[in-house]
Amino acid sequence: MSSILLSLPQRYKRQLQAMTLGVIIIYTTLVFYQSSYGYPNINISPNSPAQKYHNEKISDVQTHHMKLLQYESSSTNAPAVAPTTNPTSTQHQQQSKSVGGGAGGSHSMRDVLSNPVHTSVVQPTTVIIRKDFHSFNFSDIELPVERPTASVHYLRNKHLLHDLSQRSVTGTPKPPTTELDDIFISVKTTKSYHDSRLAMIVKTWFQLAKDQTWFFTDTDDPYYQEKTNGHLINTKCSQGHFRKALCCKMSAELDVFLESGKKWFCHFDDDNYVNIPRLVKLLDEYSPTVDWYLGKPSISSPLEIHLDSKNTTLNKKITFWFATGGAGFCLSRALTLKMLPIAGGGKFISIGDKIRFPDDVTMGFIIEHLLKVPLTVVDNFHSHLEPMEFIRPDTYQDQVSFSYALMKNQWNVVKVDGFDTKTDPRRFYSLHCKLFPYFSYCPHR
């Protein structure tokens, strides 16, 4: 055989060498392609190592998310509302702000935090059974089933990972840069809090976002109209902290934002301290042209509403998450534009009246249930329903919002040095000077 090969003309030897080289190149290319992308139209067996690895990663993400939500439950001092058949008890539960914000509970904050965090992925559901309806109709606000959903990402908190992986493969450019002037910051307040809560905000973090922050209240106040550079809006809504007044103000906030042309809508309460630079940095990580609902829940499981009516054809069971308004939340302009035909022009109030829940729950109902956009949990938002003292001082600059509350004659506030507790019981001024010590009234360091 070797003698035959040696006798072949030189051109055949070259052709043979070329063919051998071609086979090697094709084989190497196929191996590389398969290792990178896999063969098309081949289903991986559920028991294969690759599929097991994939399932484990999904489980890890779900477990991490559930741990976070369970921590939020312990932080709020509010256990999940258990299913009940007692109409009186149920009606009292749904009317309380513990559902809309998670307040209540007999355990102290230290007691609940001492309990270990469960690692199970399967979570209970916060259930509210509404038996006070004689009729209930969603036909005027429900979206057609065939309408495209507002987001292509259905797995909670995994849609960001999906986006990042897509960018690495397709080379999609970084989302547009977000600057402070791209953000519309709204603060909900009321007349009785102008001289206390509003005054603290005006003297602290408002000074870092004077042109971007607007206050929505329920009365005219020439003094604070001047202090806020004309950014005090009288919504003409009722005074007080009840459902209709809250939904009325939230509706006004949403409508004014839609007219502003800004890229981001961020709502906060008047007991929030907002770390403006951190807020801008957070929103710069997301694109305003994508549907984003950024916030933090105050309950450990999704809210499930059972709408029980005499007309059985109208019975509904609705499950959704919502970001508590007491910690603040942000919506991208793309999402609010989808909300416009449903909740714009005062329609937000009508939806709140239909489901009979406060403003933050109504917002979650519209976004998660009607528009199918999942809440993206951002742990850097904080409400007074969690213990402020457990936020480490070395992480203050990383947090977006803080809060405070007087509970059982004890202040739930951040542990920060600065002014004495008599001068600054809520610690807003001390926190502000910790983050921005160059203000003139800050103690010398």
Side-chain angles (χ1 to χ4, degrees):
M1 183 67 182
S2 59
S3 61
I4 296 175
L5 287 175
L6 290 174
S7 64
L8 287 174
Q10 189 68 21
R11 65 176 181 273
Y12 292 123
K13 292 182 180 180
R14 291 176 181 174
Q15 290 178 359
L16 184 59
Q17 291 173 351
M19 291 174 59
T20 304
L21 181 61
V23 170
I24 294 174
I25 292 174
I26 293 173
Y27 177 80
T28 305
T29 302
L30 289 174
V31 171
F32 176 79
Y33 182 90
Q34 188 274 337
S35 62
S36 301
Y37 303 102
Y39 291 124
N41 301 324
I42 295 181
N43 295 323
I44 301 177
S45 169
N47 298 321
S48 68
Q51 187 63 24
K52 286 182 179 179
Y53 177 80
H54 176 70
N55 293 337
E56 288 173 0
K57 286 300 178 183
I58 292 180
S59 178
D60 289 343
V61 174
Q62 292 174 339
T63 302
H64 172 75
H65 176 64
M66 292 306 175
K67 283 183 178 180
L68 173 62
L69 293 175
Q70 294 228 0
Y71 170 76
E72 297 314 316
S73 174
S74 64
S75 301
T76 62
N77 295 332
V81 182
T84 176
T85 56
N86 186 332
T88 304
S89 173
T90 302
Q91 185 172 359
H92 173 73
Q93 289 172 346
Q94 64 86 16
Q95 292 288 354
S96 77
K97 184 59 179 173
S98 64
V99 177
S106 58
H107 301 289
S108 69
M109 286 180 287
R110 295 181 183 274
D111 292 339
V112 266
L113 283 177
S114 64
N115 294 331
V117 177
H118 299 291
T119 57
S120 174
V121 175
V122 180
Q123 293 294 306
T125 302
T126 302
V127 179
I128 305 297
I129 302 177
R130 301 298 303 274
K131 290 183 176 294
D132 53 337
F133 284 92
H134 297 294
S135 63
F136 196 92
N137 187 7
F138 277 101
S139 60
D140 55 340
I141 58 175
E142 286 280 15
L143 297 180
V145 176
E146 66 274 11
R147 174 170 175 166
T149 57
S151 176
V152 297
H153 312 294
Y154 290 99
L155 298 179
R156 186 177 316 279
N157 273 11
K158 278 186 268 185
H159 52 318
L160 176 57
L161 298 178
H162 174 77
D163 278 353
L164 293 176
S165 64
Q166 288 298 107
R167 292 187 193 124
S168 63
V169 172
T170 63
T172 303
K174 183 182 180 295
T177 301
T178 294
E179 299 178 351
L180 176 58
D181 200 46
D182 296 322
I183 308 172
F184 181 91
I185 303 172
S186 65
V187 179
K188 179 181 63 189
T189 187
T190 186
K191 178 183 178 181
S192 60
Y193 288 146
H194 284 188
D195 292 330
S196 54
R197 297 183 177 187
L198 183 55
M200 283 195 303
I201 293 177
V202 169
K203 293 177 182 177
T204 56
W205 63 265
F206 172 73
Q207 298 299 318
L208 303 175
K210 292 181 179 180
D211 296 331
Q212 296 78 26
T213 305
W214 297 81
F215 299 93
F216 291 77
T217 187
D218 41 43
T219 187
D220 290 325
D221 191 329
Y223 177 79
Y224 282 102
Q225 188 67 259
E226 178 184 357
K227 291 294 183 182
T228 60
N229 301 325
H231 281 214
L232 189 70
I233 298 177
N234 183 2
T235 60
K236 310 293 184 181
C237 300
S238 303
Q239 296 181 20
H241 195 268
F242 55 92
R243 177 180 56 80
K244 286 193 174 182
L246 297 174
C247 287
C248 178
K249 290 176 184 175
M250 183 66 75
S251 178
E253 294 177 48
L254 180 62
D255 288 343
V256 174
F257 164 74
L258 288 167
E259 295 175 359
S260 71
K262 302 281 188 177
K263 297 179 181 178
W264 289 96
F265 167 49
C266 292
H267 160 88
F268 295 97
D269 281 353
D270 56 7
D271 59 354
N272 283 135
Y273 178 94
V274 182
N275 185 356
I276 297 297
R278 185 64 183 90
L279 176 64
V280 176
K281 183 180 178 182
L282 169 71
L283 298 181
D284 192 42
E285 299 173 5
Y286 302 87
S287 172
T289 61
V290 177
D291 301 329
W292 288 113
Y293 177 28
L294 309 176
K296 189 176 184 180
S298 59
I299 54 179
S300 62
S301 55
L303 180 65
E304 184 175 289
I305 307 175
H306 290 264
L307 302 175
D308 192 4
S309 169
K310 290 183 178 180
N311 187 343
T312 57
T313 61
L314 298 177
N315 287 343
K316 289 276 187 178
K317 183 175 75 171
I318 300 168
T319 303
F320 60 93
W321 289 97
F322 66 92
T324 180
F329 56 80
C330 294
L331 312 179
S332 63
R333 185 157 193 86
L335 175 57
T336 58
L337 289 176
K338 289 185 171 66
M339 294 173 61
L340 178 59
I342 304 172
K347 295 179 182 177
F348 185 95
I349 303 174
S350 301
I351 297 178
D353 287 341
K354 283 184 178 294
I355 66 174
R356 297 193 182 183
F357 277 102
D359 52 334
D360 50 359
V361 182
T362 302
M363 186 68 75
F365 170 82
I366 294 170
I367 297 173
E368 279 231 348
H369 174 65
L370 296 182
L371 294 177
K372 310 303 180 187
V373 176
L375 170 66
T376 297
V377 177
V378 179
D379 196 39
N380 306 87
F381 289 91
H382 300 283
S383 77
H384 66 274
L385 303 173
E386 55 184 288
M388 293 291 102
E389 64 177 337
F390 287 98
I391 303 176
R392 300 199 324 268
D394 60 324
T395 67
Y396 286 166
Q397 69 277 5
D398 300 324
Q399 310 308 321
V400 173
S401 64
F402 303 82
S403 191
Y404 62 86
L406 185 61
M407 298 179 177
K408 297 181 180 178
N409 298 320
Q410 183 178 0
W411 282 103
N412 174 24
V413 295
V414 293
K415 299 299 182 182
V416 57
D417 296 330
F419 297 94
D420 60 75
T421 55
K422 185 177 181 180
T423 303
D424 184 24
R426 299 170 179 84
R427 312 312 289 160
F428 257 37
Y429 297 110
S430 300
L431 176 61
H432 187 68
C433 288
K434 171 77 172 178
L435 295 173
F436 311 101
Y438 53 80
F439 274 70
S440 58
Y441 57 76
C442 293
H444 296 292
R445 298 183 180 277

